[in-house]
């Protein structure tokens, strides 16, 4: 582990009610006293309903808040059930996850993702752009071409690379407890960094306190997008502590 800047992004998915915010107390306290605090960023992405109360709770803590998705249109419109990026910004989001595989599987295309990223950037949000291959694509050994297309179309006509972080999340790794072989992961992250120079690239998919030692030994990863384990403050803190041990 070198001394570089690392991201720890919590993706709460569709979990949590107001009471769940109590679990943050432990993380806030930990972060306040953590010696390496200057070298990492913690970002929580709760469901939209918790963005505002979470932002208020975390004020002054240096922990930031992000959203999980948005409509592609940045102005108001007749889209029942949707929220747009500027609405999310107005309640405290600083970041937004776009292109998560759970939404891709529900029909979100690369083109739509591109529009969403543009709208988020226009609204002043930083983007956590998710890419990743399915198990089928991995078996067919077409991971690189899948990622290449996701990157090419997803980031088409977008130059703003300081505001975008790429999260590589192999679909077969999300929620399964399985992570890629270290060698494969190093190569895939290198490939992404070659495709998009100067971008931060995170890894996501079953990151937990048990596999973090293996993951942290892969030295081209700029941080982690953490789903399941991020809902448990102890596990989330353990992941951070072990990364710096
Ligand atoms: P997981 O989810 O850590 O539960 O595998 C990661 C994600 O979907 O972002």
């Amino acid at each position: 582990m070198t001394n570089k800047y690392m991201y720890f992004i919590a993706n709460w998915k569709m979990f949590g009610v107001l009471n769940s915010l109590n679990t943050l107390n432990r993380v806030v306290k930990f972060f306040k006293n953590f010696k390496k605090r200057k070298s990492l960023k913690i970002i929580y992405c709760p469901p939209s309903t918790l963005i505002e109360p979470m932002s208020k709770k975390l004020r002054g803590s240096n922990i930031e808040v992000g959203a999980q998705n948005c409509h592609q249109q940045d102005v108001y419109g007749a889209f029942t059930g949707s929220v747009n990026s500027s609405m999310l910004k107005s309640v405290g989001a600083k970041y937004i996850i776009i292109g998560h595989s759970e939404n891709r599987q529900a029909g979100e295309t690369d083109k739509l993702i591109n529009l969403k990223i543009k709208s988020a950037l226009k609204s002043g949000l930083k983007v956590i752009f998710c890419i990743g291959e399915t198990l089928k694509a991995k078996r067919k050994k077409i991971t690189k071409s899948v990622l290449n297309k996701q990157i090419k179309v997803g980031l088409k006509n977008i130059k703003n690379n300081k505001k975008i972080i790429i999260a590589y999340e192999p679909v077969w790794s999300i929620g399964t407890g399985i992570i890629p072989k270290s060698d494969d992961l190093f190569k895939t992250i290198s490939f992404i960094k070659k495709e998009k120079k100067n971008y931060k690239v995170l890894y996501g998919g079953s990151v937990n306190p048990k596999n973090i030692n293996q993951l942290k030994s892969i030295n081209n990863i700029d941080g982690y997008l953490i789903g399941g384990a991020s809902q448990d403050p102890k596990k989330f803190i353990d992941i951070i502590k072990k990364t710096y041990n």
Side-chain angles (χ1 to χ4, degrees):
M1 223 335 266
T2 55
N3 221 1
K4 65 188 177 185
Y5 206 52
M6 294 288 281
Y7 286 83
F8 296 87
I9 304 182
N11 174 12
W12 273 13
K13 311 194 180 194
M14 197 174 74
F15 290 90
V17 289
L18 277 175
N19 262 346
S20 320
L21 299 182
N22 295 332
T23 64
L24 297 173
N25 296 341
R26 206 163 156 172
V27 181
V28 169
K29 199 168 154 206
F30 157 77
F31 194 42
K32 202 171 151 202
N33 299 312
F34 191 53
K35 285 200 180 71
K36 302 272 172 60
R37 56 180 287 136
K38 292 238 160 65
S39 65
L40 71 149
K41 261 195 184 298
I42 300 178
I43 301 153
Y44 269 85
C45 301
S48 302
T49 46
L50 293 180
I51 291 175
E52 183 167 29
M54 190 186 266
S55 306
K56 285 190 174 143
K57 190 176 174 82
L58 293 176
R59 204 168 280 160
S61 70
N62 277 327
I63 297 176
E64 293 177 293
V65 178
Q68 297 176 10
N69 202 358
C70 64
H71 191 273
Q72 67 273 23
Q73 183 173 300
D74 61 292
V75 293
Y76 291 157
F79 299 104
T80 305
S82 298
V83 287
N84 70 26
S85 49
S86 61
M87 292 155 88
L88 294 164
K89 173 109 193 297
S90 78
V91 288
K94 301 268 190 304
Y95 288 80
I96 185 165
I97 295 171
I98 294 180
H100 193 282
S101 67
E102 284 150 12
N103 297 321
R104 289 178 184 267
Q105 279 160 341
E108 204 175 62
T109 61
D110 291 319
K111 238 176 152 171
L112 185 61
I113 289 164
N114 177 253
L115 295 175
K116 290 185 178 192
I117 295 176
K118 284 176 179 159
S119 117
L121 293 172
K122 199 168 159 201
S123 300
L125 294 174
K126 290 182 185 150
V127 173
I128 301 147
F129 169 45
C130 299
I131 57 172
E133 81 286 4
T134 60
L135 186 59
K136 200 169 154 204
K138 176 181 152 60
R139 286 194 173 134
K140 278 166 81 186
K141 301 194 190 308
I142 55 167
T143 297
K144 281 186 182 169
S145 66
V146 168
L147 299 179
N148 175 275
K149 178 170 175 273
Q150 289 175 342
I151 292 169
K152 246 199 190 118
V153 184
L155 297 180
K156 194 168 176 201
N157 297 326
I158 296 171
K159 291 206 179 72
N160 216 346
N161 70 41
K162 291 250 158 57
K163 301 250 162 74
I164 301 171
I165 300 164
I166 297 176
Y168 169 59
E169 297 204 305
V171 181
W172 49 273
S173 212
I174 294 174
T176 60
I178 302 166
I179 60 167
K181 289 194 189 112
S182 299
D183 202 33
D184 290 346
L185 187 49
F186 177 81
K187 283 185 190 146
T188 309
I189 300 273
S190 299
F191 170 76
I192 297 165
K193 289 191 165 182
K194 223 188 274 162
E195 293 282 296
K196 290 311 277 184
K197 299 210 169 57
N198 303 319
Y199 276 67
K200 298 253 182 211
V201 181
L202 317 184
Y203 168 74
S206 295
V207 177
N208 65 42
K210 290 199 182 107
N211 58 30
I212 191 65
N213 282 333
Q214 182 188 332
L215 287 168
K216 79 169 187 190
S217 68
I218 303 165
N219 62 20
N220 58 357
I221 298 177
D222 298 304
Y224 308 100
L225 180 53
I226 305 159
S230 72
Q231 286 163 44
D232 177 338
K234 186 180 176 312
K235 284 189 184 160
F236 193 62
I237 291 168
D238 264 8
I239 291 169
I240 299 173
K241 277 190 186 158
K242 286 187 174 176
T243 303
Y244 286 87
N245 256 345

